[in-house]
Amino acid sequence: MDEQDCGDLLDSLRELSAFELRIQTAQSKVEVAEILHRHDLPEEFFTQRFPDLAKTVQQLPDETSPTA
């Protein structure tokens, strides 16, 4: 699947890069879920289209740790 197949989900390479960066810098699975929701991306589509990012997300904590 190439960028064209994503249709309205991710409109440009710039948006795709920004999306990937947000996922890579997320601190928790909850934060990733919010990012996916903002982009209107189903989790199943995310795991199929971005398998390496999905593996990274699996290693994140469920929620962000509270800061002191």
Side-chain angles (χ1 to χ4, degrees):
M1 180 182 296
D2 60 19
E3 183 189 0
Q4 195 70 6
D5 293 335
C6 294
D8 293 332
L9 298 176
L10 297 169
D11 294 331
S12 69
L13 288 175
R14 179 177 288 169
E15 186 176 344
L16 178 60
S17 294
F19 169 77
E20 289 177 341
L21 181 61
R22 281 187 223 113
I23 296 292
Q24 290 170 348
T25 58
Q27 299 294 312
S28 70
K29 291 176 184 173
V30 170
E31 189 176 342
V32 171
E34 291 170 357
I35 294 166
L36 294 178
H37 179 72
R38 275 195 301 264
H39 286 277
D40 198 26
L41 289 174
E43 189 173 331
E44 184 176 316
F45 175 84
F46 171 71
T47 57
Q48 290 175 355
R49 176 73 170 91
F50 305 97
D52 292 335
L53 283 177
K55 289 177 187 175
T56 301
V57 170
Q58 289 176 347
Q59 298 173 8
L60 293 174
D62 289 336
E63 296 183 20
T64 305
S65 302
T67 56

